[in-house]
Amino acid sequence: MSGMRGDDRLRRWHRRSRGLIDRDRLDLGQGGAEYAAMVGVVSLVVAAIVGLSVPADTATGLKSAVCRILHPLSGAEACSSGDYAGDKGGGDGGGGGGGGPDDPFVPNGDPFEPARCLLSQDQTKTTVVIQIIFIKISNSETVKLQQWSDGTVTLERVTETSGGVTASISAGIPGLKDWGGSAKLSGTYLAGSGSGGQWLFNGNKTGDTQADLEANLKDAQQFAEYLKAMDDCNSRPAGPRSSELGMICGYHANKKKPDLDPERAPDVDITKTSVEASGNASFGGKFKGNGKGGKDSGKSDGPKDLGKISGEVLNGTMTEDVVVMRAQNGPNAGKITFIYTFTVKGSAGAGGVATGERMQQVAVTYDAAAYDQEEKDGADHHPEKLVITTSQEAGDGGGVKIEAGANAGPVTIDVGGGGGSTKSQIHTESAELILDNDTDSTIVEDWLRGRGNPAKNPLPSPSDAAEVPDSDASDLERLLHDKGKLSKLDYNANTDWWNASLGIGFGISAGQVSFGFKIFGIDITHEEKNQTITGDPQYATGPKNGGARPWVEWKNCTKTKPIPT
């Protein structure tokens, strides 16, 4: 992303967000005050997700954080008043796509109906995090297999590497110290980059989208096996006959390729910065020794902590991400997209009995060459596309996450792990705007920068955009109502995960509070998630008499059924 002064804007926003976390950490008091603050934050975060309700002042704080994402230049001033609304949840809902002003096909005679929807998604993500003192390094690989209602299938693979700093503070729970009751707050700042590719399988075209989907899915699955085989070939160790063996391996891998190659495999450069605040509460037990007796006095030095075993029963996380994606080739070649995301998630109960997640996301696309030149000249930008996505996920399941540790003076060795599965429901809404004229483009850019006529809600929701605008509605709210493609989708999701960790740390205790840091730590998490469309897919028609936009059946979404994988 060299030569992009736009990255400076993102860095400034993240420095400001990181400062808010740092100040909150410095404001913590001593002893029971830290415990109350930490458990209070964790409880509120989890309540915001699992209970789906929080006190008004806390809700305002969470929504103000969303506002800061949408106004990275104007900062808190743009977020000091107003009703910060718009709940979102996690998960890739995948709103409608296509149907832009240049599309030759207007589906079902209604230009407001998106051309396709996401029917099903299989996602596998593996993340490895290494921590050395206060430095954290993260590497992840995400693979997605997606089925679309127009009969096409996409296969995505993205790898990301990031580095940054992290710190935490923990406290024992009064009265339960011997049970290992504790709570912890932590903060992390990461910056990184990545690359990815997407392969489109659209070679089978019989006129029957259901038959096409089945054939294209088979090709995509076969191509995924080919990629795995090629990875195995490329990772072979060097040796005296490595060249010959590599050729043989490649020959057999090529046999796995489908008859029809994917149409395109664009490369995408990714730059990502992330700020995370998290907390958890755990319970377990401590192991104590009798202490060493004195030679002369016959007295013991008192019991000594030898180690512990504990299980996490409550956790919550708030994450703010900025992702910059620059497409090098493919259908979006020459485009740059900024994706701003705010996520709140957590779980409660032994083994994560109740889980939930809310996510709010704004994606803005520019012509990359024009954007770079505008940054160089200090001129205003001209976005070409805006997508607002909101989702909310809630579910339950079984599992366990435990940690065992041993103490050797101030040095601790912790080993943790766990696994489980959850079933959840995801509700997703999307609003898409194609900005094909300077007036509309300026309205969106002014909104992003906190200029002009501000929206009452810093993040207008797709549902609100379907209603008749009030007399004091902002320019953006009117634009979303008049021209936005609005859609609603519901999914059932199944998630299986496992985690393993090892940490070597150094710490000291002061009353109920412990301060410390990891000398070295490694944490591996693997997650497999399948989500399948359900319910009644809907989209909002164009404005009718009186200005309202009724929600109707999304026929381009319901005409094809997802295929179980």
Side-chain angles (χ1 to χ4, degrees), residues 209-558:
T209 54
Q210 191 68 49
D212 292 346
L213 179 63
E214 184 174 352
N216 288 326
L217 177 60
K218 183 178 179 180
D219 285 347
Q221 292 171 327
Q222 190 172 341
F223 190 78
E225 292 300 318
Y226 158 73
L227 292 178
K228 292 179 182 178
M230 288 302 298
D231 285 343
D232 292 339
C233 294
N234 295 331
S235 61
R236 293 180 63 88
R241 299 187 59 192
S242 59
S243 178
E244 293 86 347
L245 293 175
M247 292 178 61
I248 296 173
C249 184
Y251 171 77
H252 288 287
N254 279 315
K255 288 185 176 181
K256 298 180 181 292
K257 292 182 66 176
D259 294 334
L260 296 176
D261 288 334
E263 289 192 4
R264 32 180 109 90
D267 291 325
V268 180
D269 290 336
I270 301 171
T271 298
K272 180 178 181 179
T273 52
S274 178
V275 175
E276 176 184 295
S278 63
N280 66 63
S282 60
F283 294 89
K286 291 184 177 181
F287 307 111
K288 294 180 178 292
N290 292 327
K292 183 188 297 184
K295 293 182 180 179
D296 298 326
S297 64
K299 294 181 180 179
S300 170
D301 294 336
K304 292 187 176 182
D305 288 338
L306 301 179
K308 66 176 182 178
I309 182 169
S310 62
E312 187 176 87
V313 297
L314 187 72
N315 71 72
T317 303
M318 291 188 292
T319 306
E320 299 172 342
D321 293 329
V322 177
V323 175
V324 184
M325 304 181 68
R326 184 186 289 261
Q328 302 298 335
N329 52 45
N332 294 316
K335 304 296 183 183
I336 182 172
T337 300
F338 293 80
I339 304 174
Y340 305 84
T341 307
F342 176 71
T343 306
V344 182
K345 60 182 178 180
S347 64
V353 174
T355 63
E357 182 173 327
R358 290 178 177 177
M359 182 272 291
Q360 296 176 311
Q361 185 180 89
V362 174
V364 192
T365 301
Y366 303 84
D367 178 85
Y371 182 92
D372 291 344
Q373 188 62 47
E374 289 160 358
E375 281 287 289
K376 182 178 180 180
D377 298 339
D380 286 342
H381 299 299
H382 297 81
E384 297 181 346
K385 183 179 179 180
L386 170 71
V387 179
I388 296 175
T389 304
T390 70
S391 69
Q392 179 172 297
E393 179 174 1
D396 54 46
V400 64
K401 188 174 183 181
I402 61 174
E403 182 180 85
N407 300 341
V411 178
T412 61
I413 300 176
D414 296 316
V415 178
S421 62
T422 59
K423 293 184 178 180
S424 58
Q425 295 75 45
I426 305 172
H427 176 73
T428 299
E429 298 185 4
S430 179
E432 177 184 317
L433 276 172
I434 303 298
L435 309 172
D436 55 359
N437 62 77
D438 289 340
T439 299
D440 294 349
S441 182
T442 299
I443 289 174
V444 170
E445 186 67 12
D446 285 348
W447 170 66
L448 289 169
R449 293 174 176 267
R451 303 182 307 208
N453 180 17
K456 295 188 299 297
N457 298 329
L459 186 67
S461 74
S463 289
D464 291 342
E467 302 296 329
V468 180
D470 297 332
S471 58
D472 59 346
S474 69
D475 294 336
L476 176 68
E477 290 166 326
R478 293 186 181 278
L479 183 59
L480 286 169
H481 173 269
D482 294 342
K483 298 184 178 182
K485 289 189 176 183
L486 313 176
S487 59
K488 294 180 179 180
L489 293 169
D490 290 296
Y491 296 89
N492 284 332
N494 296 314
T495 304
D496 296 315
W497 63 274
W498 60 262
N499 169 267
S501 64
L502 169 67
I504 301 174
F506 180 90
I508 58 175
S509 297
Q512 294 290 340
V513 185
S514 62
F515 301 88
F517 57 87
K518 284 185 178 179
I519 301 173
F520 173 81
I522 183 170
D523 186 283
I524 302 174
T525 302
H526 180 81
E527 180 182 280
E528 295 182 4
K529 183 174 185 177
N530 169 266
Q531 63 184 64
T532 305
I533 196 168
T534 185
D536 182 22
Q538 295 180 314
Y539 80 97
T541 67
K544 304 298 183 182
N545 292 336
R549 297 184 57 179
W551 292 95
V552 299
E553 179 188 356
W554 188 354
K555 295 181 179 179
N556 277 322
C557 188
T558 57

Side-chain angles (χ1 to χ4, degrees), residues 181-201:
S182 63
K184 180 174 71 174
L185 283 182
S186 63
T188 299
Y189 172 79
L190 295 173
S193 62
S195 61
Q198 182 188 81
W199 294 267
L200 172 65
F201 296 85

Side-chain angles (χ1 to χ4, degrees), residues 10 15 58 161 168 197 205 224 243 339 375 419 467 484 540 544:
L10 304 182
R15 281 196 296 268
T58 305
T161 301
S168 63
K205 300 178 181 179
S243 178
I339 304 174
E375 281 287 289
E467 302 296 329
K544 304 298 183 182

Side-chain angles (χ1 to χ4, degrees), residues 47-59:
I49 304 156
V50 179
L52 301 183
S53 64
V54 292
D57 55 346
T58 305

